[in-house]
Amino acid sequence: MAANTRGRAPGSARARILVVGGGYVGLYTALRLQKKLKPELRQGSVEIMVITPDPYMTYQPFLPEAAAGSISPRHVVVPLRRVLDGCKVVIGEARSIDHAKRTATVATLATEEEGTGSVEIPYDELVLAPGSISRTLPVPGLADYGIGFKTVEEAIGLRNHVIEQMDIASSTRDPAVRDAALTFVFVGGGYAGVEALGELEDMARYASRYYHNVKPDDMKWILVEASNRILPEVGEEMGRYTVRELRRRNIDVRLETRLDSCQDRVAVLDDGSRFPTRTVVWTAGVKPHPVLAATDLPRNGRGRLKCTAKLALDDTTHAWAAGDAAAVPDITADEPGTECAPNAQHAVRQARVLADNVVASLRGRPLTDYAHKYAGSVASLGLHKGVAHVYGRKLKGYPAWFMHRVYHLSRVPTFNRKARVLAEWTLAGLFKREIVSLGSLEHPRAEFELAAGGERPKESS
């Protein structure tokens, strides 16, 4: 059946579905659209275009394991061009969207080279799924010394950084330098902060056996959380267990505490504590992508797009959204006005309903509501350690860690990636961990520049 041409951009030969974002929602929506719209794609009456700043989708729940060396970085990402072979993938960033005119202003690698800055792309149906960015606060020194943990590049950079700090501590004779190098401060007690801290502490503890003068007890690991609990998604009881488990590993967990400053490589907390450190990892939440503010689409007070249960934007035609960027009503909740949590569990399921509703809209069929009762959460705290609260059942230790791996293995896209991740886990169980730092990847031309008469770039760490 040919696509409905209502609202088609002037002069357009086909209906263009523009998907902004290549994360969970962007990938899964485009994947389902190219499957459901095969007849239209063959006829040339529909085009699916994906605008994304990276040519891959990052499966973020595996970032802590990639940072710890349990999974190769290339297996944490899914190449979009290979998976979305029925779509046109454009590497670029949407700067603004004028939905009244049905155009998106996009900066691509080509526009940068050409010096044109950006290009306007017309569309007929808009799927807005740019995700989120790190939510930072005006903490003195954070922009200079803080390390994020949202991308695979940041995860591998953090792994390299931690091992480099152990190398510094092993080779220095200055006690102050050694102490600062072996002090690691993580800010934020959500999934990203707790899992990153748990996996990296586990990795560093293992790596210390290969240093003649660095012992596990020499390292200070500090978790700073502004609220009175960590991992709220797994429930209060499992959150308290996680605090006890981390403290049993000599990790300093500080609840109801904030980072006041990290200037001059000194982490200053609001309880008066001061920690000379070369490592401050910021995982204190996320905020909507800036492109949402550069649109004429309806947003709520927190900057997220106002959506209906059908994943269409409120009082707006031909525009859809899901995931971190969208405020989607949770129709399964007891309290009216409750919104779906912006997490991967909802994002993947919302993408399916969103794609089906876009197809139904094009074909003039009725739309369906998104309804999914939250199943629970799982979190890894390092090798063979974890917590879980799933369908009312509470698990901890090895069973929770195993459930974490099984669940995320089932959710990572494509059979190719599932097989590769499973193979790496199997090999990791048979052989020792890799503890190599490849910090030179951050400056791949450094050696050649030095040989050509230049200067070696200064280390930012």
Side-chain angles (χ1 to χ4, degrees):
M1 181 183 292
N4 191 329
T5 59
R6 290 178 301 164
R8 181 168 297 179
S12 176
R14 64 181 71 181
R16 174 178 288 162
I17 303 171
L18 184 67
V19 180
V20 177
Y24 291 109
V25 175
L27 170 63
Y28 282 105
T29 299
L31 197 60
R32 196 165 181 86
L33 283 173
Q34 74 176 15
K35 177 182 178 182
K36 295 282 186 177
L37 292 173
K38 271 187 179 180
E40 289 85 347
L41 289 170
R42 281 198 299 265
Q43 294 169 11
S45 60
V46 167
E47 178 187 55
I48 305 168
M49 179 181 288
V50 180
I51 306 293
T52 174
D54 298 307
Y56 53 81
M57 175 267 219
T58 302
Y59 191 72
Q60 291 185 332
F62 280 158
L63 287 184
E65 292 206 46
S70 300
I71 301 177
S72 172
R74 67 183 183 278
H75 298 156
V76 177
V77 298
V78 180
L80 296 179
R81 295 190 191 279
R82 179 188 296 175
V83 176
L84 302 178
D85 54 352
C87 304
K88 182 178 180 180
V89 179
V90 177
I91 306 304
E93 189 169 354
R95 296 290 173 81
S96 64
I97 294 172
D98 188 341
H99 191 62
K101 295 181 179 179
R102 305 280 176 84
T103 60
T105 301
V106 179
T108 68
L109 295 177
T111 59
E112 290 179 8
E113 289 292 327
E114 296 164 357
T116 55
S118 61
V119 62
E120 283 194 352
I121 297 179
Y123 62 83
D124 302 287
E125 298 286 338
L126 174 68
V127 177
L128 200 48
S132 57
I133 63 172
S134 295
R135 183 190 66 204
T136 58
L137 298 175
V139 176
L142 183 61
D144 297 320
Y145 302 113
I147 302 172
F149 198 77
K150 270 188 68 66
T151 67
V152 67
E153 294 86 357
E154 288 175 329
I156 304 312
L158 181 57
R159 168 187 169 80
N160 291 336
H161 175 83
V162 169
I163 295 176
E164 285 169 3
Q165 299 315 301
M166 297 178 71
D167 290 337
I168 290 171
S170 177
S171 57
T172 185
R173 295 184 178 181
D174 187 330
V177 171
R178 176 184 169 89
D179 184 58
L182 294 180
T183 300
F184 307 96
V185 179
F186 286 68
V187 183
Y191 273 127
V194 172
E195 290 194 332
L197 171 59
E199 291 283 355
L200 284 165
E201 189 274 340
D202 210 35
M203 182 271 293
R205 179 182 294 272
Y206 174 85
S208 67
R209 68 181 67 183
Y210 298 103
Y211 291 81
H212 70 281
N213 59 349
V214 175
K215 307 301 178 189
D217 291 342
D218 296 336
M219 293 181 277
K220 296 177 187 174
W221 296 84
I222 302 159
L223 178 62
V224 179
E225 168 55 39
S227 69
N228 62 355
R229 58 192 290 195
I230 64 173
L231 291 181
E233 298 87 352
V234 298
E236 190 172 348
E237 181 183 339
M238 290 294 96
R240 288 197 299 268
Y241 165 80
T242 303
V243 171
R244 292 196 302 271
E245 169 66 17
L246 294 179
R247 286 174 174 166
R248 187 184 65 80
R249 290 159 59 179
N250 291 324
I251 296 172
D252 186 354
V253 180
R254 304 208 172 201
L255 303 178
E256 298 182 282
T257 307
R258 298 178 184 273
L259 177 70
D260 277 349
S261 169
C262 57
Q263 281 184 312
D264 302 321
R265 297 192 184 278
V266 177
V268 181
L269 309 184
D270 65 357
D271 62 4
S273 303
R274 296 171 61 89
F275 298 98
T277 179
R278 296 171 56 87
T279 310
V280 175
V281 183
W282 183 269
T283 62
V286 296
K287 63 182 180 181
H289 194 282
V291 73
L292 301 188
T295 72
D296 54 353
L297 300 169
R299 294 180 296 145
N300 65 9
R302 289 177 292 173
R304 297 168 71 195
L305 297 169
K306 290 183 180 178
C307 291
T308 68
K310 293 177 173 57
L311 303 175
L313 268 62
D314 268 349
D315 301 320
T316 307
T317 57
H318 308 289
W320 315 80
D324 289 357
V328 179
D330 186 354
I331 61 176
T332 67
D334 297 330
E335 288 186 33
T338 302
E339 296 176 357
C340 295
N343 56 38
Q345 185 177 144
H346 279 300
V348 172
R349 290 171 172 82
Q350 286 172 0
R352 295 183 193 136
V353 176
L354 191 159
D356 289 347
N357 280 345
V358 171
V359 173
S361 175
L362 290 171
R363 294 174 176 172
R365 297 174 182 171
L367 310 184
T368 58
D369 288 337
Y370 171 73
H372 170 67
K373 196 167 183 64
Y374 193 57
S377 299
V378 291
S380 170
L381 305 179
L383 191 62
H384 300 160
K385 297 176 280 288
V387 290
H389 189 185
V390 181
Y391 294 115
R393 299 194 63 181
K394 300 167 186 174
L395 300 172
K396 55 190 178 182
Y398 185 90
W401 171 83
F402 184 76
M403 179 176 287
H404 173 271
R405 283 201 161 182
V406 170
Y407 173 77
H408 286 300
L409 183 65
S410 71
R411 294 301 170 188
V412 69
T414 77
F415 177 78
N416 180 306
R417 283 295 175 275
K418 295 181 198 297
R420 290 176 183 273
V421 169
L422 183 60
E424 285 205 303
W425 282 341
T426 303
L427 291 173
L430 299 174
F431 301 102
K432 295 179 179 180
R433 283 183 189 240
E434 294 290 347
I435 57 167
V436 177
S437 167
L438 296 175
S440 59
L441 290 175
E442 297 167 25
H443 304 288
R445 295 186 64 248
E447 291 300 323
F448 184 78
E449 288 176 354
L450 187 64
E455 292 183 4
R456 189 184 296 273
K458 295 180 180 178
E459 292 292 333
S460 59
S461 60

